[in-house]
Amino acid sequence: MDDQTNVSPDLIWEICRPNNAYLVKRKSGGGSQFSKDPLNLTNKHSRKYAGFVNSKAVGVLPAEKGGVTLITKKTKHQNRPAANRNEVTFAGNKSGPKVYKGIVNYTAKQNYRADLRQEAVARASAIREFSRPKKDTPERKVRGAKAKKAASVEES
């Protein structure tokens, strides 16, 4: 039995564009529209990035301990949402360039959309940057003879 869908992605987008579960509308900012779709790399509500519409989609989510999970949508089983995802997790202890190269290689070898590779690497980079623990700001050093003299007077 063929698992291909009978409806084109363009028709699905035209039907679901005004209202869907992932759509976030904001009146501020000129009526911006965003997407909460996990397979949407830029969170923009557009046909290009909509993961639920495209047969091949890529998503990047945070994983445990600073890691990154790459989610790809399989072309088979389009009508079975539980079976049409593939997940690959890159550990947090790997260096950044190794993770980014792994994302690029995986998407290239699986013949996924080349236009989403740069966005996938950018999202993985942002997730890794914000999952790092923040350092405390160091105390400001006193510079100059007058400032050192004033600081020593304050301490005593």
Side-chain angles (χ1 to χ4, degrees):
M1 181 162 166
D2 191 15
D3 281 331
Q4 298 297 326
T5 180
N6 294 332
V7 183
S8 74
D10 293 320
L11 181 61
I12 293 171
W13 174 250
E14 286 301 318
I15 292 170
C16 295
R17 184 175 52 88
N19 297 312
N20 63 62
Y22 301 117
L23 180 60
V24 178
K25 294 181 180 180
R26 295 285 181 250
K27 292 191 189 268
S28 62
S32 303
Q33 293 185 348
F34 300 103
S35 177
K36 295 187 293 185
D37 186 6
L39 294 175
N40 187 330
L41 292 169
T42 60
N43 293 339
K44 292 179 184 175
H45 181 64
S46 69
R47 166 76 171 85
K48 178 180 178 180
Y49 299 113
F52 69 96
V53 172
N54 294 313
S55 60
K56 287 192 172 186
V58 179
V60 179
L61 297 174
E64 294 179 357
K65 299 179 184 175
V68 175
T69 301
L70 177 69
I71 300 173
T72 54
K73 191 173 176 183
K74 297 178 186 177
T75 54
K76 286 186 175 184
H77 313 302
Q78 290 185 12
N79 296 329
R80 293 190 276 170
N84 75 350
R85 287 189 179 193
N86 190 16
E87 294 186 10
V88 177
T89 302
F90 297 96
N93 60 0
K94 273 192 171 182
S95 68
K98 282 187 179 181
V99 171
Y100 310 145
K101 185 172 175 150
I103 290 172
V104 169
N105 287 343
Y106 184 83
T107 55
K109 287 177 183 173
Q110 300 293 328
N111 291 326
Y112 273 84
R113 296 173 42 198
D115 60 329
L116 296 180
R117 285 186 200 140
Q118 186 174 1
E119 283 89 354
V121 169
R123 180 133 182 156
S125 175
I127 288 171
R128 286 180 58 90
E129 180 181 342
F130 289 110
S131 65
R132 267 195 334 234
K134 300 296 180 212
K135 293 181 181 177
D136 294 334
T137 56
E139 192 174 316
R140 292 187 61 111
K141 291 182 180 178
V142 181
R143 303 201 184 273
K146 289 182 183 177
K148 287 180 183 176
K149 187 175 182 181
S152 65
V153 171
E154 277 183 17
E155 289 177 2
S156 54

